[in-house]
Amino acid sequence: MNRNNVPTRFASPATENARPESHQLVDHFFRSEYARLVATLTRRFGASHWERVEDVVQSALERALIAWPRRGIPANPSAWLYRVASNLAIDSLRRDARKKSLDDSTGPSTAETASPAGSGAALELEPDDSQVHDDLLRMIFVCCHPQVPPESQIALALKTLCGFGNLEIARALLTTGASVAKRITRAKQRLRELKIEPSALTQETFRERLPDVQAVIYSLFNEGYSSSLADKLIREELCEEAVRMALVLAEHPSTAGAESSALLSLLLFHAARLDARIAPDGAMLVLKEQDRSRWDQRLMSAAFDWFRRAANTDRLTRYHAEAWIASEHCRAASLETTDWDRIVTGYDLLCRLSPSPVHELNRAIAIGRRDGAAAGLAAFETLDAESLPDNYYLWHATRGELARQTGDLVIARTSLQQAWKLAPTNSEKELICRKLDAMDRSEDA
């Protein structure tokens, strides 16, 4: 993977000239290495040994946490991990008397694994970057097999490609660890029944599953950007993993193109504003309250670069429209100088490409910014509220805010109070309380 196309925040510390100190190998580096190792070793040993590969990769990472603080970080940490995990896999296969001989178990990789652990040249090196890149891509598409339910696709991707534990996945998907374990087990069992091998995927498979893969990555980022956890508005680790997987799609020849570039640019535009969404005291900050000097200029620059690449197409997608809207926010020096006419046009396009009451809701907000609160409220009133989930608090929050701006404080207060009851996180509840308190103070004045 060409990590030069992603700013430092989303790259592995080992690729950014980190000093040889163990504490600098932060969590997302190990997650990245977990994905690389699982993908590469699954290709090498076969999908039938998927669980075995995950076990030896976990063991290799645990050994690194013990060995590196004592002996120092190796010159090539990735190669060290690959060598240790490979040796552990070979040893495990040799000890397993219930399995066939090692030559039969490893199939086409027999020559590679028949030599004693650590003695063959193949074990002294890690696969080259292009090979790892291809392995990662193939594993993403394996996880998104159409016969695996969408909720299991996400769980499997988080486990296999992000190195998340079952409890972490459960928190992200608002379920239990036991449920996640069942989803993953059933998904792997189904893939075994179908005898899916990553190396057997075709270009046609990539084309057919690309929209599903993009949807998984998009959903993963959204959960990180606006978490469903009550005590945490943003889960940056989910955003980072989504960006990493989107980068794989955008850079690989089999999936590169305008749509993948548009998705990556969209995620980077939003990622650039993550830090500014939270105040030092943990309060949620809306767009007009954010300190734009805290927006990550490196990420925005990368986002604009990928957005320009995405424009080279005759086929626009929802990701193009959303990236266009996000780019307009990032171009503006302030809320007042934002080109709301272009943003409304972007929402017009988005609503045509991907009809959704949520998109219509955001369009009404943009119209309110462009033409005034009364116009925004008029656009809002045309929405079909019944098509939204019963607990979609932003419908009530939007109605309350637009009503407040038009001076209808009765509807504003009722709507905001309902939004407060439904808001999923403490930060969002606190933001609504601030608005209610401001209304009370304005009435008392």
Side-chain angles (χ1 to χ4, degrees):
M1 182 185 302
N2 181 7
R3 292 183 178 87
N4 292 330
N5 287 337
V6 169
T8 306
R9 177 176 182 173
F10 291 101
S12 161
T15 69
E16 296 294 335
N17 300 319
R19 297 195 310 274
E21 298 175 4
S22 60
H23 68 268
Q24 287 193 295
L25 291 175
V26 294
D27 187 52
H28 74 84
F29 168 65
F30 284 98
R31 292 191 193 278
S32 175
E33 290 305 298
Y34 180 92
R36 287 159 54 86
L37 290 168
V38 168
T40 301
L41 294 177
T42 299
R43 172 191 55 79
R44 177 178 173 183
F45 291 102
S48 62
H49 294 299
W50 195 335
E51 286 86 354
R52 190 193 303 267
V53 164
E54 290 182 326
D55 289 341
V56 300
V57 168
Q58 185 64 41
S59 295
L61 293 173
E62 290 171 355
R63 291 190 180 197
L65 289 175
I66 296 173
W68 293 357
R70 296 201 313 260
R71 305 174 187 172
I73 298 172
N76 189 336
S78 297
W80 189 98
L81 289 167
Y82 175 74
R83 185 167 59 251
V84 170
S86 296
N87 290 341
L88 289 172
I90 294 170
D91 291 343
S92 173
L93 287 168
R94 286 173 172 165
R95 289 194 305 267
D96 194 347
R98 294 171 298 174
K99 299 291 183 183
K100 295 180 180 180
S101 66
L102 178 63
D103 289 354
D104 292 334
S105 298
T106 58
S109 299
T110 299
E112 221 179 54
T113 59
S115 59
S119 64
L123 297 182
E124 297 302 321
L125 301 171
E126 69 163 339
D128 64 67
D129 228 22
S130 61
Q131 178 179 301
V132 171
H133 197 176
D134 187 69
D135 291 337
L136 282 169
L137 177 79
R138 290 176 179 276
M139 288 302 291
I140 294 174
F141 279 78
V142 167
C143 291
C144 292
H145 192 284
Q147 293 196 34
V148 174
E151 64 273 12
S152 296
Q153 291 178 5
I154 296 176
L156 192 57
L158 286 172
K159 177 71 171 180
T160 303
L161 300 168
C162 305
F164 280 30
N166 287 351
L167 291 179
E168 285 182 290
I169 299 172
R171 287 194 295 269
L173 302 182
L174 297 181
T175 185
T176 65
S179 176
V180 165
K182 289 179 182 178
R183 290 182 190 182
I184 293 173
T185 298
R186 290 170 183 167
K188 288 182 179 178
Q189 178 60 37
R190 184 59 182 141
L191 292 174
R192 279 196 297 269
E193 292 170 355
L194 295 169
K195 298 182 179 180
I196 301 298
E197 288 292 342
S199 59
L201 299 181
T202 64
Q203 293 299 313
E204 183 179 358
T205 302
F206 288 143
R207 287 193 297 271
E208 290 176 349
R209 297 186 195 172
L210 182 58
D212 292 334
V213 171
Q214 291 168 334
V216 166
I217 294 172
Y218 180 82
S219 297
L220 176 61
F221 185 91
N222 280 346
E223 172 57 30
Y225 188 79
S226 185
S227 170
S228 300
L229 296 179
D231 61 348
K232 195 167 187 180
L233 177 67
I234 295 173
R235 296 197 63 190
E236 188 172 282
E237 73 277 13
L238 297 185
C239 294
E240 291 190 5
E241 295 302 337
V243 168
R244 184 170 62 83
M245 286 193 278
L247 177 64
V248 172
L249 294 186
E251 288 190 333
H252 198 280
S254 297
T255 52
E259 190 168 348
S260 293
S261 294
L263 173 61
L264 178 57
S265 69
L266 169 64
L267 303 192
L268 289 171
F269 278 129
H270 287 315
R273 297 184 286 168
L274 283 177
D275 289 343
R277 294 184 66 219
I278 303 294
D281 63 359
M284 177 183 177
L285 300 176
V286 295
L287 190 59
K288 68 179 179 180
E289 298 174 323
Q290 292 176 18
D291 178 359
R292 298 192 179 213
S293 69
R294 294 182 61 198
W295 290 4
D296 193 315
Q297 297 300 315
R298 298 167 305 155
L299 291 181
M300 283 201 292
S301 176
F304 278 113
D305 179 52
W306 284 106
F307 188 50
R308 285 188 289 270
R309 302 186 199 191
N312 186 27
T313 182
D314 295 328
R315 179 179 177 271
L316 296 178
T317 67
R318 64 170 297 180
Y319 304 123
H320 285 88
E322 291 192 54
W324 177 6
I325 294 165
S327 73
E328 289 301 322
H329 285 297
C330 287
R331 290 183 205 277
S334 66
L335 190 70
E336 292 72 26
T337 60
T338 302
D339 191 335
W340 290 103
D341 187 56
R342 287 181 60 83
I343 289 180
V344 170
T345 301
Y347 277 115
D348 289 341
L349 176 62
L350 178 59
C351 290
R352 289 198 302 271
L353 294 172
S354 180
S356 162
V358 174
H359 298 159
E360 294 284 357
L361 180 66
N362 287 319
R363 178 177 175 274
I365 296 172
I367 289 175
R369 289 289 183 186
R370 184 188 67 179
D371 303 329
L377 188 59
F380 174 85
E381 296 295 352
T382 65
L383 300 180
D384 179 12
E386 293 183 358
S387 62
L388 290 165
D390 291 338
N391 63 344
Y392 192 67
Y393 90 98
L394 288 175
W395 188 88
H396 300 281
T398 300
R399 185 168 186 254
E401 178 60 21
L402 290 171
R404 184 191 67 79
Q405 293 176 20
T406 61
D408 193 336
L409 300 186
V410 175
I411 291 180
R413 180 172 287 102
T414 301
S415 298
L416 289 174
Q417 287 171 344
Q418 183 63 18
W420 181 88
K421 293 177 183 178
L422 297 174
T425 69
N426 296 333
S427 294
E428 287 161 308
K429 287 181 181 293
E430 193 275 337
L431 172 62
I432 296 169
C433 282
R434 295 205 318 260
K435 292 185 177 183
L436 288 167
D437 290 342
M439 288 172 53
D440 290 339
R441 287 195 299 270
S442 66
E443 287 186 313
D444 293 339

